[in-house]
Amino acid sequence: MKSILSGRAARGVLALCVALSVCSSSAAPLPKLKLANAWPNLKFKRPLWMEQAPDGSGRIFLLEQQGRIVILPKDRQGAEVAEFFDIVSRKTYAQDEEGLLGMAFHPKFKENGKFYVFYSMQDPMRSVVSEFTVAKDNPNKADLASERVLLQIVRPFWNHDGGCIVFGPDGKLYISHGDGGKRDDPLDNAQNPTTLLGCVMRIDVDTRTGVLPYGIPKDNPFVGREDARGEIWANGLRNVWRMSFDRETGQLWAGDVGQDKWEEIDLIVKGGNYGWRAREGFHPWLKTTFVPAQPYIDPVIEYPHVPGLATESKFNKHSHGLSVTGGYVYRGKKHPSLRGLYLYGDYKQGTVWGLRHDGKTVTAYDELIAANPIRLIASFAEDGDGEVYMLGFEGKIFALEPAK
Ligand SMILES: [Ca+2]
């Protein structure tokens, strides 16, 4: 756009758009997408996360649920990966929602070689967030002996572990953890600010608070309260399966997996309470014993588990699904028609949707790739250039591209 329109011409077009009210991107129909096999000669075992190292090396890392992280070949026709990290022997994966679930590179990875992982362990059943460092003599190998355990969160049940860890633009580590599992959050964990279950946390990996192996940022919402954990950034969340920061606006987008009726996308803000188990999506659910300090925050969008339910939602043109997978706001350069679009999908139905948001409300939403229940959407991913991918749980990595 910059090269095509001079400043004056751009202002002229803008004035015309305002006058006609039809030219904004929000009014344009959303583009249909297709999946392109990004590494056609590779197949993975339950891939759950992919990320490019922020060190200028161009290396893209992929995480497998059983406990392995590999480096993908730069040649996308390549058939060999380099094994970077392996904790499979720790048996971190015992049941479906357990395992090595998340990883994040320290923003200064290039200088300090530090990265973070989230994994499940047994006896006692718990989630672990640890720091590791790259081996001194080999940039393509993690030093397993360098592990520094930051957090251990005891889990009452095997599912709803969350497990997404991402650094924010503020350099702090954000961690999602589910409500602890089972149906209806039976222990009312997501509303209970004294537990780290059912929330998004924010910690500082570079400092220490008291005897903790990490720092609790002073501007976290519950700092200084006796009846709440200072690590919590937002709560009332059932099981955030994938969250991401919009690299342009810094907003934190999350997919919060629903139970029986509604899946939702949330914009996570400081101190926000997203309602679970008192609410599912925009709808009342169960009683909670906790009185929220502020009103519950509604989702950005919701979709139903069965088509007939859609009429009960203001998003009544949204197709259905069973388990949301949060994605990314597209900020890449390759596909201008996708710019600013938040992409998300359904793990079980394999549908991909997109929405546009003006900072306050959804201005457009649509199905971009039709359902295909054979293809389970484990996660989306973003490379260093902001290009977006989808990880198929069956083992393939797809690039998302406009269909025409
Ligand atoms: Ca909610």
Side-chain angles (χ1 to χ4, degrees):
M1 191 61 117
K2 215 186 290 171
S3 58
I4 299 168
L5 292 175
S6 70
R8 186 188 288 175
R11 280 192 295 278
V13 170
L14 185 66
L16 189 67
C17 289
V18 170
L20 297 174
S21 294
V22 292
C23 197
S24 72
S25 58
S26 63
L30 302 188
K32 296 293 177 193
L33 300 184
K34 64 175 184 188
L35 299 175
N37 215 329
W39 277 266
N41 298 313
L42 292 177
K43 185 136 203 263
F44 302 94
K45 216 170 165 182
R46 302 168 83 94
L48 287 191
W49 189 254
M50 188 174 91
E51 191 168 336
Q52 184 166 333
D55 63 354
S57 70
R59 291 174 302 166
I60 295 180
F61 292 63
L62 182 119
L63 176 157
E64 290 179 323
Q65 189 174 7
Q66 280 84 350
R68 231 163 63 103
I69 300 170
V70 298
I71 303 172
L72 305 184
K74 287 215 173 118
D75 172 6
R76 298 217 171 175
Q77 298 300 318
E80 300 282 326
V81 297
E83 189 171 275
F84 173 70
F85 179 88
D86 181 358
I87 56 166
V88 175
S89 61
R90 295 188 191 183
K91 295 188 168 50
T92 165
Y93 169 72
Q95 298 207 51
D96 266 2
E97 293 181 27
E98 299 177 330
L100 178 61
L101 301 180
M103 78 170 293
F105 292 101
H106 191 287
K108 291 188 177 145
F109 177 72
K110 188 175 180 176
E111 290 83 50
N112 63 27
K114 290 177 181 171
F115 66 98
Y116 300 82
V117 294
F118 181 116
Y119 61 94
S120 328
M121 287 300 288
Q122 310 295 325
D123 304 318
M125 209 187 288
R126 63 198 189 278
S127 301
V128 182
V129 178
S130 281
E131 176 186 280
F132 286 88
T133 308
V134 168
K136 286 200 170 62
D137 56 350
N138 185 351
N140 292 332
K141 273 276 179 211
D143 174 7
L144 291 185
S146 69
E147 180 170 18
R148 188 168 78 85
V149 175
L150 299 184
L151 262 175
Q152 298 202 72
I153 300 168
V154 173
R155 296 180 283 123
F157 310 110
W158 67 273
N159 57 349
H160 303 182
D161 302 354
C164 192
I165 57 175
V166 283
F167 279 92
D170 55 0
K172 306 297 188 287
L173 184 64
Y174 292 74
I175 303 161
S176 77
H177 204 292
D179 64 9
K182 276 209 166 166
R183 286 181 58 78
D184 294 330
D185 189 10
L187 305 175
D188 213 355
N189 287 321
Q191 288 298 323
N192 181 351
T194 69
T195 81
L196 296 180
L197 300 168
C199 71
V200 169
M201 295 158 246
R202 175 180 183 250
I203 64 171
D204 186 342
V205 298
D206 297 321
T207 62
R208 309 284 181 268
T209 296
V211 297
L212 294 172
Y214 54 86
I216 296 181
K218 288 195 172 68
D219 58 342
N220 271 10
F222 295 150
V223 165
R225 267 177 54 176
E226 291 286 320
D227 60 344
R229 291 288 299 255
E231 292 91 338
I232 296 174
W233 183 247
N235 70 345
L237 293 158
R238 183 174 176 274
N239 190 29
V240 168
W241 182 246
R242 301 319 182 205
M243 58 184 180
S244 70
F245 283 94
D246 179 339
R247 55 171 70 190
E248 196 168 295
T249 66
Q251 285 179 306
L252 178 55
W253 290 83
D256 194 20
V257 178
Q259 181 172 290
D260 288 343
K261 290 186 169 180
W262 301 101
E263 300 298 312
E264 68 184 64
I265 298 294
D266 295 301
L267 269 174
I268 303 294
V269 297
K270 174 179 174 176
N273 182 329
Y274 292 83
W276 178 250
R277 70 178 189 188
R279 300 184 58 82
E280 189 182 53
F282 286 83
H283 314 268
W285 194 250
L286 291 170
K287 281 208 171 74
T288 169
T289 49
F290 297 90
V291 179
Q294 300 161 45
Y296 301 126
I297 297 178
D298 279 334
V300 170
I301 203 165
E302 67 176 0
Y303 65 86
H305 278 204
V306 289
L309 255 187
T311 54
E312 293 177 27
S313 174
K314 65 175 173 172
F315 301 100
N316 55 15
K317 290 189 173 60
H318 205 297
S319 54
H320 75 289
L322 291 165
S323 183
V324 68
T325 299
Y328 290 83
V329 176
Y330 180 84
R331 298 294 181 192
K333 292 197 173 72
K334 264 192 200 167
H335 310 299
S337 65
L338 309 189
R339 216 164 278 156
L341 203 57
Y342 177 69
L343 301 165
Y344 58 106
D346 191 76
Y347 168 72
K348 289 190 173 160
Q349 289 292 106
T351 320
V352 176
W353 297 279
L355 67 80
R356 290 198 185 277
H357 192 263
D358 65 4
K360 286 186 181 141
T361 189
V362 173
T363 55
Y365 64 95
D366 204 353
E367 190 173 291
L368 309 184
I369 298 179
N372 176 356
I374 296 167
R375 183 194 54 222
L376 302 173
I377 303 179
S379 190
F380 291 88
E382 194 187 37
D383 69 15
D385 295 329
E387 297 306 325
V388 174
Y389 302 81
M390 191 206 97
L391 307 184
F393 203 42
E394 78 286 358
K396 299 302 283 184
I397 307 167
F398 300 100
L400 290 174
E401 298 176 353
K404 48 185 168 177

